[in-house]
Amino acid sequence: MNIEQSARRDLAVAFRWAARLNMHEATANHFSVAISQDSQNFLINPAGRHFSLVRASDLLLVDLNAKNFGIAEGQVVDPTAINLHGQLHRLLPHAKCILHTHMPYTTALACLRDFEFLMLDQNACRFYKRIAYDRDYAGMALEASEGDRVAHVLGKEKSVLFLANHGVIVAGNSVAEAFDELYYLEKAAQLQVLALSTGRELALIDDETADLVCKQWLEYPKSAEHHFAALIEILDQQSPDYKN
């Protein structure tokens, strides 16, 4: 399996599981993965395809340096996808996989004024000092300038961006890594929403411990690879058409 074939399979897995885990919005939201060294060539979902139905062959190959982005006639990429993911891949080439969702619990927290992710449990500590915050919701990304702005807010030092009144962006070195991050971010956000809803005082983890746990997460051997391999195995048994 070559680089593009592998990327197509993995991204299709991410779409299918985002749908299964209610981390999607039907045909909205977009996932992309670069297949070139400079990240200027990447795969992304076509407009109008439901997350639960995405197949490897459905994904469109975008070339940021080609006329009409190298997209063949009859193939359509949502303009917000090109403006957002295109600028992120162009300006942050180290971010090989970019997942943008409006998943419910993380987005709920992004809608709280001046909210910053709480170091409330072990999963939350994974994201200690790794989250950037865009406090200025400016509508849909119908212009490339909005993608440019968002890319600069995320920057090169963070891997997660909370978009106020909008959703979240997670960037990773691979589909497996990015999806693993997306999964645990939503799990931690769900716990925070539940804990905040009790109205009781929160027992927050101190900075020193949170920093330690974050390092332990990032150094844990092959956790993302094992997680993603299990997701592939389940789909191979239950919905093997994702590979088509």
Side-chain angles (χ1 to χ4, degrees):
M1 189 179 295
N2 64 31
I3 291 174
E4 181 176 339
Q5 290 172 328
S6 177
R8 285 181 177 277
R9 181 204 64 178
D10 288 355
L11 202 58
V13 170
F15 282 114
R16 294 293 182 102
W17 274 100
R20 287 186 174 213
L21 297 171
N22 194 34
M23 299 195 299
H24 72 307
E25 285 198 325
T27 62
N29 300 167
H30 306 94
F31 293 174
S32 62
V33 60
I35 62 168
S36 62
Q37 190 72 25
D38 62 3
S39 296
Q40 305 305 286
N41 300 86
F42 60 87
L43 298 168
I44 197 164
N45 47 313
R49 189 68 170 162
H50 196 282
F51 269 37
S52 67
L53 298 175
V54 171
R55 299 168 301 185
S57 61
D58 293 327
L59 300 171
L60 302 184
L61 180 58
V62 174
D63 181 351
L64 289 176
N65 298 311
K67 182 180 180 181
N68 298 323
F69 303 111
I71 299 171
E73 185 176 351
Q75 297 179 329
V76 181
V77 178
D78 189 279
T80 62
I82 285 292
N83 291 331
L84 191 60
H85 289 251
Q87 292 303 98
L88 285 164
H89 282 296
R90 188 191 301 278
L91 298 171
L92 303 173
H94 69 284
K96 297 302 180 184
C97 181
I98 297 169
L99 309 181
H100 170 49
T101 75
H102 304 163
M103 53 190 187
Y105 292 100
T106 304
T107 302
L109 296 179
C111 291
L112 301 179
R113 185 180 299 278
D114 298 325
F115 182 82
E116 292 198 7
F117 210 58
L118 302 170
M119 295 300 104
L120 189 57
D121 76 323
Q122 181 168 280
N123 289 342
C125 291
R126 175 174 182 155
F127 303 98
Y128 180 70
K129 291 189 175 180
R130 298 178 60 222
I131 299 176
Y133 298 89
D134 177 12
R135 306 293 189 187
D136 302 312
Y137 176 66
M140 295 184 179
L142 296 176
E143 302 291 339
S145 58
E146 176 62 7
D148 181 272
R149 185 188 71 81
V150 169
H152 281 91
V153 176
L154 175 59
K156 297 180 180 180
E157 304 302 322
K158 309 291 186 182
S159 60
V160 176
L161 176 60
F162 273 45
L163 300 161
N165 311 105
H166 185 175
V168 67
I169 290 172
V170 172
N173 292 320
S174 67
V175 177
E177 178 185 298
F179 191 83
D180 193 59
E181 298 255 87
L182 192 77
Y183 174 86
Y184 279 103
L185 180 67
E186 182 69 347
K187 293 291 286 187
Q190 180 180 15
L191 185 139
Q192 292 191 24
V193 170
L194 290 171
L196 288 166
S197 72
T198 68
R200 297 283 300 275
E201 182 178 0
L202 303 178
L204 297 176
I205 298 169
D206 64 86
D207 286 350
E208 183 177 358
T209 304
D211 185 47
L212 169 64
V213 176
C214 180
K215 291 177 181 176
Q216 291 174 330
W217 263 113
L218 298 179
E219 294 171 357
Y220 205 84
K222 296 188 176 181
S223 58
E225 290 88 342
H226 290 318
H227 181 192
F228 208 71
L231 299 183
I232 290 173
E233 182 179 7
I234 293 169
L235 285 185
D236 282 346
Q237 294 176 9
Q238 298 179 358
S239 303
D241 66 300
Y242 79 92
K243 295 182 289 187
N244 295 345

